[in-house]
Every structure is written in structure tokens, then in C-alpha cells.
Amino acid sequence: MGELWATLGSIIASLMFVKAILNDYFPYQLWGYIEKYSHKIVRFVYPYIEITFPEFTDERLKRSEIFSAIQTYLSANDSVRTRASRFKADVVKDSKSIILSMDDKEEVTDEFKGVKVWWVLGKKTPKRDFSFSFYPAADEQRFYKLTFHKSHRDLITGSYISHVLDEGKATTVRNRERKLYSNNPSKNWHGWKATKWSHVPFEHPATFDTLAMETKRKEKIKKDLKKFSESKEYYKKIGKAWKRGYLLYGPPGTGKSTMVAAMANFLNYDIYDLELTTVQDNTELRTLLIETSSKSIIVIEDIDCSLDLTGQREKKKKEEGEEEMDPIKKKEKEMEKENNKSSKVTLSGLLNFIDGLWSACGGERIIVFTTNFLDKLDPALIRRGRMDERIEMSYCCFEAFKVLAKNYLNIEWHELYAEIEGKLAEIDMTPADVAENLMPKSDEEDVESCLKNLIEALEVAKEEARKNAEEEARLKAEKEKEKSADENVKKEEENSGNKNKDDEGRGVEG
């Protein structure tokens, strides 16, 4: 055995000596030909194929999605992990769990349909480039190398790699920490590590179980969401972008934002909260859309107040009629608007954002508009195909109250329920107000006292509604009285004018 190792060492030393001689005496141009033909000889003798997947894809050091998917697949595959001996521990989901991944230069094997493949995580040091760049290269670059027998080329390059990427991406979605994004002003988009969206962890606890709404309506919405998330091939078949629009409308406090959070938790999606007033023009709006990821909900809250986009409001302004301004004041107003640098996003730009050509850049997105005033929105903005589902978030009904009572007081029934049901049928109160009255304010408050607080609040609301109705009736009567008096005065003036004309006519005749 010792002689074998000695012989092997001697051969290696000889090869190194020969290589050193060749490097010194062979012209540099010949090395290209030597490497070319040596690789052909190796391929002829070596029956394996190698595919490299680098960690970074370009000069900006953007991490490759393929590299991340492979890393996740190998970390989550139990049959692969059991064959590794060295790992790295990564903390995910707000430090609540740990994922083990392959350590550098570790090699593992995997099997797919009876075919064995080898994965190795390698590193290489890039060549030093002394040219100036805003994005300096990393000291070391990692890569995954896949090795397999060349007789299985079609199986591995087709089905197996697709299987690895699909499983890796699915596992990433399950294990990811979901995020709530907000768009940054365009002046902050440039520079090192600048981003168009900033984010925080999305930790809203709302679910459809805790949402104050009738059970049948909740189940219908859940079925619609589930059908959408599983319909990738169907949308492709019918030739539509894989997206869906929801319009949530109703008075303030009826749970529109809570509904968005429940939808995100049900589908395990991220949320992009788009603030239109910080978007300068339609081009920026498209750029923001491109930067959103799949499996996300894009929300524009209070769409009727975000920008002056609707045709009704433009028409209303024209009907109201603004006073004619002299040229100097008009010029000053135009300059003031220019200095304010208000958003130039148009209704047309927003419509293209929702369902134009740019909306097909990416898939599995839900677009949600919320509004307190449905009649203020332009029909083109909320037609079918743009807002596929309209969900009315109304005042609290008895069934919604029972959900809130279970959430806040942990009860299914109480003797005061009958009285509360009758009052809710007569009085409009938002789920937010009902929940506030049900929430115990101290340790001394029990279930019965909280329910009585709600009954008292409903009685107060009923009295306020009665007073408001009487006040409205009084104001209406006064307006009608004033209108009638104005009409009488007008008639008297007309009669007086006619009498004067008659007198003047008789005077002329006389």
C-alpha cells in the first residue's frame, strides 16, 4: 500500500513539473488550443455531465432565484439531508424556526425516477478587476454543481430540474416570512441598496374565522379565492393574465382593511399597500407593478380619495362652474400646481395598471380597491374584468355580532342575545363600534356587563339617529318654506311688473 501511494505521489509531482515547463516555454496562444482539445478528450472518456448554477446573476449582485430554489429544495428534502454530514443553520420566520442547509464543498446525492445525481456546493474566487464599479464584486462566489450520467440528459435537464425548482419555490412560499410593502417616493429609488418598496413583517392576526360577516358570504369569498389560487393553467388556457380584482365598499369601520388581512392570511400572500399620491406619473406606476412579486395582494385603499381620477368628479367640477379668473391669477394658479409637483397618474394609466398589457408581467396577483363611496368611482374603473368581485362591507348584523361575541367574550349564547338582535335590526352600527363595546375595559367587567354596554350604546345610537332625522326633517321643511317664500316673492314681482305694463299701456291709449 505504501508503494502505491509513493508511486501516485511521484506521478502527480511529474505532472506538475511538466505543466510548469509547458507554462514557461509554450506560447500563451497555444494554451487555448490545448485546453480545447483536452476538454474534447475528457468528454469522450468522462461519461458525466456537469451543470453549474451560480448564486449571483449579474454585476448588481442580484441573487439568482434558481440558486435559492435549489438551496431550499436540498434543505427540505429529507432523503438528501440524511446523506450530508456538514450543515449551516439559518433562522427564519422571526427566529421561530431553523433550517439546515448544505455547508460549503459538501456533496450529496439525490434520486429521481431511479436515476442518481450528485449535488455539490462550491466556491470560487473571481478574478480581480481593478476597474471602477458602483457594484463591487464579492470576495467569493458560491455555486451549485449538478452531476449526472450523460445517458440521462433529457430526463435531468427537463423533468428533474423543473421538479427541483417547483418544489424549492413551493417550500420557500411555505417557510417565508410574509411582508407588508409600502412604495417609496421615486426620489429615493436610486443609490446603493435603494429599493422601490420598503417592507415590514406582516403579522396581522385577522382570519375569516374572526371576521365579522355572515358565514355564507365568508364561505363564498373563500371558495372564490381558493379557486383563483389553483387556476394557473385555466387562466393560461383562456388567455387572461392570472390576476383577480376585488372592490370592497361600505361605510368607515365596517372591516374593509380587516378583510384584506384575512384574504392575505388565507392565501399566504404578501401585501403591497400602494399609495398613489406619492407616484409621480404612469411610468412610475408601471415600474412599481413590475417590482411586485407573485402571490401578493396589491391594495389601493380609499381609491376615491387617492387621486382625482374619476369622470364623475370631473363632470361635477364643470357643473359647479368656477369663477372666471383673470389671466394673471390663472397663471399664478398654474405655477402653484407645477411647484406642488402633484401626481400625474391618470385614469387611463391606472386602468392599464389593472388590466392592460403591463398587468400580465407576473402572475397570481390580487388587486383590491377599497372605498367608502361607491357612487364616486368611475364606471370604467370598477367594471367586470377589472373588479371581478364587489363585496359590500355593511353595518353589523346579528350573525356578525355573534362572531364578535365569540372572539371578544368567548361565548356562544346569552340571554341578552334576543334583545341585542332586535336592536341591531333597527339601528345601524359598524362592527368596529360593536367590537369596542364588547371589549372588557377592566378585570371587573364580565360578559353580562359588556353586553349591557353594547345595549346601552345601541340605545344611545338610536336616540342620536332619531334626533338627526328630526333635525334633517326640520332643515328640509325650512328649505321648502324658504323656497316657497322665494317663489311667492317672484310671483308678486312678476304680477307687479305685469300690472305696471298694463297701466303704462292704458296711459298711452288715454
Side-chain angles (χ1 to χ4, degrees):
M1 190 66 178
E3 294 179 358
L4 177 61
W5 285 111
T7 304
L8 184 59
S10 177
I11 293 173
I12 293 174
S14 301
L15 291 174
M16 294 178 64
F17 176 76
V18 172
K19 183 179 179 182
I21 295 297
L22 292 175
N23 286 337
D24 291 337
Y25 295 100
F26 268 73
Y28 176 80
Q29 292 80 358
L30 292 178
W31 275 109
Y33 294 100
I34 294 174
E35 290 182 357
K36 176 181 177 180
Y37 290 105
S38 62
H39 287 163
K40 286 186 176 182
I41 295 172
V42 169
R43 284 199 300 268
F44 182 77
V45 178
Y46 188 66
Y48 294 96
I49 295 174
E50 297 177 350
I51 302 178
T52 300
F53 301 91
E55 182 176 11
F56 299 105
T57 56
D58 56 21
E59 183 187 6
R60 293 173 180 262
L61 300 182
K62 184 177 180 180
R63 201 165 194 259
S64 168
E65 292 183 4
I66 297 177
F67 182 92
S68 300
I70 294 171
Q71 185 179 47
T72 305
Y73 170 80
L74 296 176
S75 301
N77 193 322
D78 293 333
S79 62
V80 173
R81 286 194 302 170
T82 54
R83 298 184 178 98
S85 58
R86 291 182 297 115
F87 300 93
K88 287 192 300 184
D90 297 315
V91 180
V92 297
K93 285 195 174 181
D94 196 21
S95 303
K96 295 179 181 178
S97 61
I98 294 177
I99 291 182
L100 299 178
S101 58
M102 291 169 52
D103 199 0
D104 297 335
K105 300 181 181 179
E106 180 73 1
E107 183 179 82
V108 295
T109 59
D110 189 20
E111 289 188 8
F112 180 74
K113 296 183 178 181
V115 176
K116 182 178 289 188
V117 299
W118 293 264
W119 288 99
V120 62
L121 177 60
K123 273 185 178 182
K124 66 178 180 179
T125 303
K127 295 180 180 179
R128 290 293 179 182
D129 185 1
F130 295 99
S131 61
F132 176 77
S133 174
F134 285 104
Y135 307 97
D139 294 333
E140 291 182 321
Q141 295 179 359
R142 298 189 301 169
F143 61 89
Y144 278 106
K145 184 169 67 175
L146 172 63
T147 305
F148 55 92
H149 198 278
K150 61 183 180 182
S151 61
H152 306 298
R153 176 196 293 267
D154 294 338
L155 176 67
I156 301 303
T157 57
S159 302
Y160 177 68
I161 292 180
S162 297
H163 165 74
V164 170
L165 299 182
D166 292 342
E167 289 294 321
K169 291 178 180 178
T171 304
T172 300
V173 171
R174 290 193 297 268
N175 294 336
R176 67 178 173 157
E177 179 184 60
R178 290 184 299 120
K179 298 172 182 176
L180 173 61
Y181 292 87
S182 178
N183 55 303
N184 297 322
S186 57
K187 63 181 181 181
N188 299 332
W189 287 6
H190 308 289
W192 176 245
K193 293 186 177 179
T195 59
K196 297 174 180 60
W197 295 91
S198 56
H199 63 81
V200 295
F202 178 69
E203 298 175 344
H204 200 293
T207 65
F208 278 101
D209 292 335
T210 62
L211 187 65
M213 181 182 281
E214 301 93 323
T215 302
K216 288 184 178 180
R217 293 183 65 202
K218 289 194 289 188
E219 290 300 318
K220 181 182 177 182
I221 296 169
K222 288 166 64 177
K223 289 179 180 178
D224 187 78
L225 291 169
K226 189 173 186 295
K227 180 69 174 177
F228 165 77
S229 65
E230 297 173 351
S231 300
K232 179 179 180 180
E233 295 301 323
Y234 178 75
Y235 276 83
K236 184 177 180 181
K237 174 186 174 184
I238 62 177
K240 287 187 63 177
W242 190 17
K243 64 174 185 60
R244 193 156 180 81
Y246 289 82
L247 175 65
L248 309 182
Y249 66 96
T254 51
K256 295 183 287 294
S257 298
T258 305
M259 169 64 81
V260 174
M263 293 167 68
N265 285 326
F266 179 71
L267 294 174
N268 200 25
Y269 281 9
D270 292 325
I271 292 181
Y272 288 85
D273 184 14
L274 178 59
E275 178 54 58
L276 281 180
T277 56
T278 65
V279 183
Q280 292 296 315
D281 51 37
N282 297 334
T283 302
E284 287 188 7
L285 188 63
R286 289 194 296 266
T287 303
L288 287 169
L289 175 64
I290 294 172
E291 291 291 324
T292 60
S293 62
S294 60
K295 294 186 180 295
S296 61
I297 299 177
I298 303 173
V299 184
I300 303 179
E301 294 199 90
D302 298 324
I303 182 66
D304 57 297
C305 301
S306 296
L307 288 174
D308 193 6
L309 296 168
T310 62
Q312 285 91 340
R313 277 183 283 180
E314 291 294 333
K315 183 179 179 181
K316 184 178 179 183
K317 285 182 178 180
K318 292 178 181 178
E319 289 175 350
E320 290 175 352
E322 299 178 352
E323 294 183 0
E324 290 293 331
M325 291 183 292
D326 59 75
I328 297 177
K329 288 185 177 181
K330 190 174 182 180
K331 187 67 176 178
E332 289 177 352
K333 190 172 182 180
E334 290 176 355
M335 291 178 64
E336 183 181 353
K337 287 183 178 180
E338 181 66 22
N339 291 333
N340 289 336
K341 295 181 179 178
S342 59
S343 175
K344 296 180 182 177
V345 174
T346 63
L347 177 60
S348 175
L350 187 59
L351 297 182
N352 287 328
F353 174 86
I354 299 170
D355 69 347
L357 294 175
W358 290 94
S359 67
C361 298
E364 199 170 358
R365 290 192 185 96
I366 291 176
I367 299 175
V368 177
F369 289 166
T370 71
T371 180
N372 298 332
F373 306 100
L374 180 62
D375 56 346
K376 286 187 177 183
L377 300 183
D378 194 295
L381 191 64
I382 58 176
R383 69 163 176 79
R384 298 292 179 182
R386 291 189 175 120
M387 293 293 105
D388 304 286
E389 287 290 331
R390 299 183 183 184
I391 303 174
E392 181 180 6
M393 308 298 293
S394 58
Y395 293 103
C396 189
C397 62
F398 181 64
E399 189 173 354
F401 155 76
K402 290 192 292 183
V403 175
L404 293 173
K406 183 178 180 181
N407 294 341
Y408 285 81
L409 302 175
N410 198 27
I411 58 172
E412 298 282 351
W413 182 87
H414 193 275
E415 58 185 9
L416 294 175
Y417 270 27
E419 184 178 357
I420 293 173
E421 182 177 8
K423 291 186 178 300
L424 285 174
E426 299 175 356
I427 306 163
D428 290 337
M429 180 175 281
T430 64
D433 290 334
V434 173
E436 181 61 27
N437 286 285
L438 291 178
M439 180 180 291
K441 305 302 186 297
S442 65
D443 294 336
E444 287 75 21
E445 289 191 353
D446 57 7
V447 171
E448 187 169 347
S449 62
C450 290
L451 293 176
K452 288 182 177 179
N453 289 339
L454 175 60
I455 293 174
E456 183 179 350
L458 287 168
E459 291 174 350
V460 171
K462 183 177 181 180
E463 181 65 18
E464 290 181 354
R466 184 187 65 78
K467 290 181 180 179
N468 291 335
E470 290 177 355
E471 182 67 17
E472 288 179 3
R474 184 183 67 81
L475 294 174
K476 185 177 180 181
E478 289 180 357
K479 287 182 179 179
E480 290 179 352
K481 187 177 180 180
E482 291 176 358
K483 184 179 179 181
S484 177
D486 292 339
E487 289 177 353
N488 291 333
V489 171
K490 189 175 181 180
K491 286 181 180 179
E492 289 178 0
E493 290 177 350
E494 290 177 353
N495 293 334
S496 177
N498 293 333
K499 184 179 180 181
N500 292 334
K501 288 180 180 180
D502 292 341
D503 292 341
E504 289 175 0
R506 284 195 293 272
V508 170
E509 291 175 359

